[in-house]
Amino acid sequence: MEEVFLAWEELKKGADSLVPVIAADHETNEVLMLAYMNKEAYEKTLKEGRMTYFSRSRNELWTKGLTSGHFQYVKELRIDCDNDTILALVDQVGAACHTGNRSCFYRKLAGESR
C-alpha cells in the first residue's frame, strides 16, 4: 500500500468545509460510524492518536470517548482516490454508537440476509 502524507489543505472538502470520515474496526473492517472532520479535528487526530471529529449538530470539536469512555485509537488513516474521504481504521473501546451499539449501522434498511 502506498503511503502518503497530506496536509489539510490538500484534502477536498464539501461545501461545509468538512471531510467525511468512515471509522472501521482495524481487525475486522466492520464499519462503525460516519463522522466529519474540520482542520482542527484532523490535526488533533494526527497529533494525539485518538479520533477527533467535528460535530455538525453541536458545531464543536468532539474527541470520541471523552464523555462516554468509548475512545477510538487510530491504527491507520487512509485516504480515498479523490482525496475527499478518510477511512480511519481504529481500535474501538466499547460502543461506537451513542445508542450503545457497537456500530451505528445496526439496523437493516433493505436487502437479503446472508
Side-chain angles (χ1 to χ4, degrees):
M1 177 170 298
E2 179 184 356
E3 189 169 338
V4 298
F5 173 79
L6 297 177
W8 176 255
E9 293 72 25
E10 296 175 272
L11 301 180
K12 294 179 186 170
K13 290 80 154 172
D16 54 7
S17 298
L18 301 176
V19 174
V21 181
I22 300 165
D25 183 280
H26 75 103
E27 292 180 332
T28 66
N29 291 325
E30 175 187 18
V31 174
L32 301 171
M33 59 182 281
L34 169 72
Y36 296 85
M37 283 184 171
N38 63 4
K39 181 178 182 177
E40 187 178 2
Y42 180 68
E43 291 176 350
K44 186 171 183 180
T45 295
L46 291 175
K47 180 179 177 185
E48 296 182 2
R50 291 186 302 184
M51 292 305 297
T52 300
Y53 303 105
F54 181 79
S55 171
R56 296 180 306 163
S57 60
R58 295 189 311 265
N59 198 36
E60 66 183 17
L61 218 57
W62 156 52
T63 298
K64 179 73 174 149
L66 281 184
T67 55
S68 67
H70 297 169
F71 289 97
Q72 292 177 340
Y73 295 98
V74 176
K75 292 297 183 177
E76 186 175 319
L77 295 179
R78 296 183 184 179
I79 190 73
D80 76 336
C81 57
D82 294 323
N83 289 353
D84 65 3
T85 304
I86 295 171
L87 173 61
L89 300 176
V90 301
D91 180 11
Q92 174 69 54
V93 176
C97 185
H98 73 280
T99 64
N101 286 283
R102 174 151 173 86
S103 169
C104 292
F105 298 96
Y106 62 92
R107 301 180 298 161
K108 184 175 179 179
L109 184 60
E112 297 180 16
S113 296
R114 295 197 182 222

